[in-house]
Amino acid sequence: MSRSSPVGSPPDVGVLLPAAGLGERAGGGTRKQFRPVAGVPLLLRSLQLFAGHPRVAAIVVALPPADAERPPPWLADVAGPRLRVVAGGATRAASVGAALAALDPACHIVLVHDAARPFVARETVDAVIAAAARGVGAVAAVPVSDTLKRARGDARVVETVDRAGLWRAQTPQGFPRRVLEEAYRRAGASALEATDDAFLVEAAGHPVELVLDTSDNIKITTPEDFVLAEALANR
């Protein structure tokens, strides 16, 4: 498990923010990524830390095609010339692939971060960058603390799963750029169904480490998650 931090390195990190989903489970009418959390759009909250990070040289945001043509002005206000907006795809992996293809070639380290995770800690980002700079994949993660049950289709419990060694993968996930690009090339069309970039990197035979994350780094998916996010933002 990695937890070291980078120091004194030049800007060489590219950040990919897939934000092209419709967010239908979140309800509310407005696209989830544009809905406010304590008065600040969700996507903007997720973008701000990376926009102010000294190692970040470029940020690519993948939006729904119509929004990519007319992106919200606050994106450029925060990220400035380092920002590029692209049209995302029908799946998360398709959006990541489009953003990766548009990333400045000078970026040798790539972070992929869920736009719906607005509370990632700077310490976590630093540790993921440090691991990727050493040549391995890195996944922000937290140990599973709940008791896990495996069930049949009718919800009848089959067994209680041993949670020892189990972690819940979060983001950011960081990789040497060549490693992530190779993983997407090798996966081909099957990459479009992946919900986790580290899975593709693992499948390509590259090592991946876990970086201890915090429980605050929630992914906002449902209306109830927005209520929790408001509480975290106002804490």
Side-chain angles (χ1 to χ4, degrees), residues 96-123:
V96 172
L100 182 59
L103 183 63
D104 188 322
C107 294
H108 303 299
I109 296 171
V110 180
L111 301 187
V112 185
H113 184 63
D114 295 329
R117 292 188 188 272
F119 301 116
V120 62
R122 167 67 185 266
E123 184 183 12

Side-chain angles (χ1 to χ4, degrees), residues 146-165:
D146 296 319
T147 298
L148 300 177
K149 304 287 186 180
R150 178 174 285 112
R152 304 184 316 206
D154 61 359
R156 179 69 62 87
V157 171
V158 175
E159 63 174 328
T160 298
V161 179
D162 183 3
R163 69 189 180 204

